[in-house]
Amino acid sequence: MQYDVIVIGGAMSGATLALALSRTANKKVAVVEAFSESLQHPGFDSRAIALSLGSIDLLRRYKLWDALSSEATPINSIDVSDRGHFAQTGFSADELNKPLLGAVVELANVGAVYREQLQRDPNIDVFCPDAIVDLVQEPQHIEAVLKSGTRLCGQLVVAADGANSKVAELINNPKSLDDFEQHALIANVELDKPHNNQAFERFTSHGPVALLPMTGKRMSLVWCMKESMLQHALSWSKTQFLEELQQEFGWRLGRFDKVGALASYPLQLHKRERLVHHRIAFVGNAAQTLHPIAGQGFNLGIRDVAGLVDVLAQHTDCGDYSCLAQFRDNREADREATCDMTSALVRIFSNDWLPMVVARNLGLAIFDIAPSIQGPVKNRSLGLV
C-alpha cells in the first residue's frame, strides 16, 4: 500500500495533519490508530483544551474549524493573578481588537468530529484498531509494519503518537526529561452564575490553578499540586473538594456548585533529541510534552503540524532530507522559546522564596502597565508566532 505520508497516531495532532495534507497539499495519507472508539482514546478523553487564536486560524485554513466551532466556547478575556499578593494582569479581546482570544473545546467532541472527517476523506485510509510494531527504512522509501501484519509503504512516517512514542522507541530517539514534581488534577466544575467567557490562571502556594470557560456555567479546571496534596485531594468528598478549591481560587467567579469526575497525571517536560530522522518526523506530544501552565501544549503541536504541511506541500518526495531539514530548522526557534517560557513560569510561580515572590509580583505589575513588553508575551499566548 503506497502513501505519501504515514501518520502514526490519530488524536488531535495526527488527525489534523492527515486532513491538512489531504486538503491543502493533495497528499495520499495513511493514519494508524490503536483505539477504535474516540471515547476510549486518551487523546480524546473528558478533558477540555484551550485553542489559541492562531490555532483557530490554522484550523480554519484546513477547513476544520466550522465543524468544531458549534461546540466551542470563546475566550473573551484572560486574568492572571498571584494568590495572597497585590499584583495581577490580564487582557481582553476588545483591548487587542480581536474577535476572541481563543476558544475551549472538549476533546470528546473533537474526537467524534475528526473520526467522521477522516473516514469521509478519499485521500485518507485509516487503519484502526492497529498499531506499528516495526519500521524498515530504505533509501527511497520507508515501510511501517503493523500489528495486524499489514505493511504500509510511504515516503515519510510522521510520529504523532504521544509522549511515549512507539516510533521513537523503534529508532532509538531518546527524550530529555524535566520533572516539575507536580501533578495536574483535572475536572469540570459548575458555577452558580455565568462565567462570561473569562479564563483564569491563578498562582497559589501549591501550584497554578487554571479555569477555562465551557458551555453553560461549566469551567474546565486544571489544578497543579505536589503529589502529597494530590493524595489528599483525591480522597476528599465533593463538598470538601469544592470548599478547598473555593479557598484557593477565591470568589471572583462566584460559588463553585458542582464538580465532576477527577483525573490526574504527572507534570513533566519531555523533549525529543531529534525532530527528524531518515524519512521520519515528529510532531505534537511525540516531539515535546509541556506543563499546562500557559496552555501552550496543543497550540505548539498544531504549529508543528502547520510547519510540516507547508514544507511537504512544496515537495514531491515528502521524505527527502532537504524537506525534513527545512521543517526542523523552521520549528527550532518557536519550539525552544515556548518550552523555555513554560518551564520558566513553572519555576517562578511555584517558588515560595520571598525574594522570588516579590520579584514575580513586581514583574506582573510592570507587565500590566508597560505595553512595550506585552506584545511578545501576548502574541505567544494568542499563538500568533
Side-chain angles (χ1 to χ4, degrees):
M1 298 184 182
Q2 302 285 334
Y3 296 94
D4 296 309
V5 179
I6 302 165
V7 179
I8 308 300
M12 279 197 78
S13 290
T16 302
L17 174 64
L19 290 162
L21 286 172
S22 170
R23 294 173 180 186
T24 66
N26 196 32
K27 301 294 186 183
K28 180 70 174 172
V29 184
V31 176
V32 180
E33 173 50 56
F35 293 88
S36 57
E37 294 292 334
S38 61
L39 291 178
Q40 298 172 344
H41 197 297
F44 290 132
D45 57 20
S46 59
R47 290 171 298 163
I49 61 169
L51 299 175
S52 68
L53 182 60
S55 294
I56 291 171
D57 288 343
L58 289 170
L59 292 173
R60 191 175 281 118
R61 182 196 304 178
Y62 303 143
K63 300 179 176 62
L64 285 165
W65 182 241
D66 284 350
L68 299 174
S69 61
S70 61
E71 299 289 339
T73 304
I75 299 174
N76 292 336
S77 66
I78 297 173
D79 183 279
V80 182
S81 61
D82 196 359
R83 182 179 181 269
H85 302 286
F86 67 90
Q88 68 180 65
T89 188
F91 44 95
S92 69
D94 288 343
E95 289 173 17
L96 300 180
N97 197 27
K98 303 289 185 184
L100 70 171
L101 299 179
V104 179
V105 293
E106 297 181 54
L107 289 174
N109 294 338
V110 175
V113 168
Y114 273 148
R115 203 174 82 175
E116 178 187 359
Q117 300 219 7
L118 288 171
Q119 296 289 352
R120 284 174 22 201
D121 196 302
N123 281 336
I124 299 174
D125 292 333
V126 179
F127 297 84
C128 178
D130 216 335
I132 189 169
V133 294
D134 200 9
L135 283 166
V136 181
Q137 294 167 281
E138 301 288 353
Q140 302 303 321
H141 69 275
I142 186 168
E143 290 184 22
V145 183
L146 307 188
K147 187 176 182 180
S148 63
T150 302
R151 298 178 76 95
L152 307 177
C153 182
Q155 298 172 347
L156 173 69
V157 163
V158 178
D161 52 345
N164 298 315
S165 169
K166 179 65 175 178
V167 175
E169 177 188 323
L170 289 171
I171 65 169
N172 190 28
N173 183 7
K175 61 187 177 185
S176 62
L177 174 64
D178 189 358
D179 193 338
F180 297 116
E181 299 180 347
Q182 289 182 337
H183 289 252
L185 182 61
I186 59 174
N188 294 336
V189 295
E190 188 168 318
L191 309 173
D192 68 344
K193 64 181 185 180
H195 49 60
N196 297 320
N197 299 98
Q198 300 174 88
F200 290 84
E201 184 98 46
R202 186 158 176 79
F203 300 105
T204 76
S205 58
H206 300 293
V209 176
L211 285 159
L212 301 173
M214 298 169 67
T215 53
K217 297 178 182 178
R218 297 182 305 145
M219 299 198 86
S220 172
L221 167 70
V222 181
W223 190 353
C224 302
M225 59 186 68
K226 299 272 187 191
E227 185 172 5
S228 56
M229 182 178 172
L230 174 69
Q231 299 310 317
H232 291 298
L234 292 174
S235 68
W236 291 336
S237 67
K238 291 196 173 184
T239 299
Q240 185 178 0
F241 183 93
L242 292 169
E243 289 173 352
E244 296 283 349
L245 176 61
Q246 196 84 63
Q247 182 176 340
E248 284 290 280
F249 182 78
W251 293 87
R252 299 185 65 185
L253 281 166
R255 182 183 299 279
F256 294 108
D257 264 355
K258 296 178 184 177
V259 59
L262 305 181
S264 67
Y265 58 90
L267 296 177
Q268 301 167 329
L269 170 63
H270 299 262
K271 280 176 66 181
R272 290 290 164 199
E273 286 190 5
R274 303 187 301 274
L275 276 184
V276 299
H277 197 269
H278 177 64
R279 295 194 173 273
I280 298 171
F282 290 80
V283 299
N285 284 346
Q288 64 276 314
T289 306
L290 306 185
H291 189 291
I293 189 169
Q296 291 293 307
F298 175 71
N299 295 299
L300 178 59
I302 198 173
R303 296 199 296 273
D304 291 342
V305 167
L308 189 57
V309 170
D310 289 347
V311 170
L312 297 186
Q314 303 168 25
H315 289 78
T316 303
D317 182 353
C318 294
D320 181 72
Y321 175 77
S322 63
C323 172
L324 298 185
Q326 184 181 350
F327 162 69
R328 177 198 63 207
D329 295 345
N330 289 350
R331 294 301 305 136
E332 183 175 4
D334 181 22
R335 184 183 190 228
E336 292 301 318
T338 304
C339 290
D340 290 348
M341 179 192 78
T342 300
S343 296
L345 287 172
V346 176
R347 304 299 184 204
I348 292 169
F349 286 96
S350 297
N351 192 318
D352 285 334
W353 185 47
L354 183 58
M356 182 67 78
V357 173
V358 173
R360 75 191 185 208
N361 275 270
L362 183 60
L364 283 176
I366 292 172
F367 180 86
D368 204 43
I369 60 173
S372 62
I373 65 172
Q374 292 177 5
V377 175
K378 289 179 178 178
N379 284 342
R380 189 159 296 279
S381 299
L382 295 174
L384 303 176
V385 296

